[in-house]
């Protein structure tokens, strides 16, 4: 449906407004009428009759919105796109159309979804993985991760995702609603706290050695950390936990990754 056809060009332009003018090498892009990122999380981008593009403003964001994913000039850079509307199976709508693998307890819940008809709800040790291939070996390249999230309870040492190769993670370290960004084996920064029961369009932009986390288009934390992949050829991306997948469930709903 149209809710599954959103583009991330808008988010790239917003990232440029925040000083991240370099194009991303890789992106985990999400979209939807609720949230995403590449500067700004996703939102509905109906371009009108005939699939025309339109100029649009949303808060401090101004950019071009596309009628469908296929119109997005950055689509070739997208390596994962999950609308989270079904867990039978979980589907990758990126150009790769990779086969995703679920483990532990993780469901697409139709109860009060954030976007579309369902949202991902991680349970104990629950996660969804991409294949373990060189495609997901991010190394030291630039990237943008975008997703929609709502905390349903205070997390306790839980991870939202891990990007293989760089070990880039968004996690909650202890009983806090303030997300911490990890990369290359260490902490980059801890962002401002998020509010419970509030839906956010989240985005993490990495440009060079600088990482910036946005919530609804506003920076809530930034830091620098150098590093590169450890040299292993094949990598995976885990959503809902980190790749080892042994931590408790994140008290949240996730959508449009």
């Amino acid at each position: 449906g149209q809710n599954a056809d959103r583009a991330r060009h808008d988010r790239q332009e917003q990232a440029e407004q925040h000083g991240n003018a370099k194009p991303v090498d890789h992106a985990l892009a999400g979209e939807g009428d609720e949230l995403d990122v590449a500067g700004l999380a996703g939102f509905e981008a109906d371009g009108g009759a005939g699939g025309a593009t339109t100029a649009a403003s949303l808060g401090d964001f101004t950019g071009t919105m596309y009628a469908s994913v296929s119109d997005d000039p950055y689509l070739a850079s997208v390596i994962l796109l999950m609308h989270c509307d079904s867990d039978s199976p979980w589907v990758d709508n990126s150009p790769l159309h990779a086969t995703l693998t679920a483990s532990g307890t993780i469901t697409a819940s139709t109860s009060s979804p954030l976007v579309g008809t369902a949202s991902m709800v991680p349970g104990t040790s629950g996660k969804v993985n991409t294949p373990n291939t060189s495609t997901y070996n991010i190394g030291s390249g630039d990237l943008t991760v975008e997703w929609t999230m709502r905390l349903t309870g205070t997390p306790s040492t839980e991870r939202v995702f891990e990007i293989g190769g760089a070990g880039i993670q968004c996690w909650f370290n202890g009983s806090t609603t303030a997300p911490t960004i990890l990369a290359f084996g260490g902490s980059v920064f801890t962002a401002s706290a998020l509010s419970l029961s509030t839906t956010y369009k989240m985005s993490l932009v990495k440009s060079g050695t600088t990482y910036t986390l946005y919530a609804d288009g506003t920076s809530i934390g930034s830091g620098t950390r150098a590093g590169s992949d450890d040299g292993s050829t094949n990598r995976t991306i885990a959503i809902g936990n980190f790749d080892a997948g042994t931590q408790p469930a994140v008290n949240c709903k996730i959508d449009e990754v």
Side-chain angles (χ1 to χ4, degrees):
Q2 283 188 321
N3 282 353
D5 287 333
R6 314 290 184 261
R8 51 179 295 284
H9 175 67
D10 323 53
R11 283 80 99 174
Q12 174 66 14
E13 289 194 6
Q14 185 189 3
E16 292 171 1
Q17 289 178 5
H18 289 276
N20 296 309
K22 298 169 65 177
V24 294
D25 293 331
H26 296 79
L28 312 182
E31 9 86 44
D33 55 337
E34 283 290 343
L35 342 165
D36 259 271
V37 343
L40 167 69
F43 55 90
E44 177 125 13
D46 292 312
T53 60
T54 59
S57 296
L58 180 63
D60 63 353
F61 164 75
T62 299
T64 302
M65 298 197 296
Y66 293 89
S68 69
V69 168
S70 61
D71 295 330
D72 181 7
Y74 296 97
L75 183 61
S77 295
V78 178
I79 60 174
L80 179 63
L81 177 56
M82 296 178 63
H83 300 310
C84 302
D85 288 329
S86 174
D87 54 17
S88 303
W90 294 98
V91 176
D92 173 19
N93 288 287
S94 79
L96 300 179
H97 297 292
T99 299
L100 305 179
T101 303
S103 59
T105 302
I106 189 162
T107 61
S109 173
T110 59
S111 175
S112 300
L114 307 185
V115 182
T117 59
S119 295
M120 177 186 290
V121 178
T124 302
S125 299
K127 60 173 181 167
V128 175
N129 278 86
T130 65
N132 189 41
T133 71
S134 59
T135 298
Y136 307 101
N137 188 338
I138 305 301
S140 58
D142 295 343
L143 61 84
T144 296
V145 186
E146 43 189 333
W147 72 103
T148 300
M149 182 172 67
R150 179 189 297 160
L151 292 175
T152 56
T154 302
S156 177
T157 314
E158 300 152 6
R159 285 161 169 85
V160 178
F161 63 78
E162 179 179 13
I163 303 170
I168 297 173
Q169 304 174 31
C170 176
W171 79 317
F172 294 89
N173 185 13
S175 298
T176 177
T177 62
T180 293
I181 300 302
L182 305 178
F184 305 111
S187 175
V188 184
F189 63 88
T190 296
S192 300
L194 302 176
S195 297
L196 296 177
S197 303
T198 299
T199 301
Y200 292 97
K201 300 177 180 181
M202 304 294 298
S203 59
L204 174 63
V205 178
K206 177 183 181 294
S207 179
T209 60
T210 300
Y211 297 75
T212 305
L213 184 65
Y214 298 93
D216 291 339
T218 298
S219 173
I220 60 171
S222 186
T224 60
R225 185 171 178 82
S228 62
D229 190 88
D230 64 8
S232 299
T233 299
N234 295 332
R235 291 296 187 181
T236 184
I237 294 168
I239 307 297
N241 212 309
F242 69 141
D243 187 38
T246 57
Q247 292 191 330
V250 184
N251 291 322
C252 75
K253 292 183 177 180
I254 301 171
D255 217 323
E256 299 301 326
V257 180

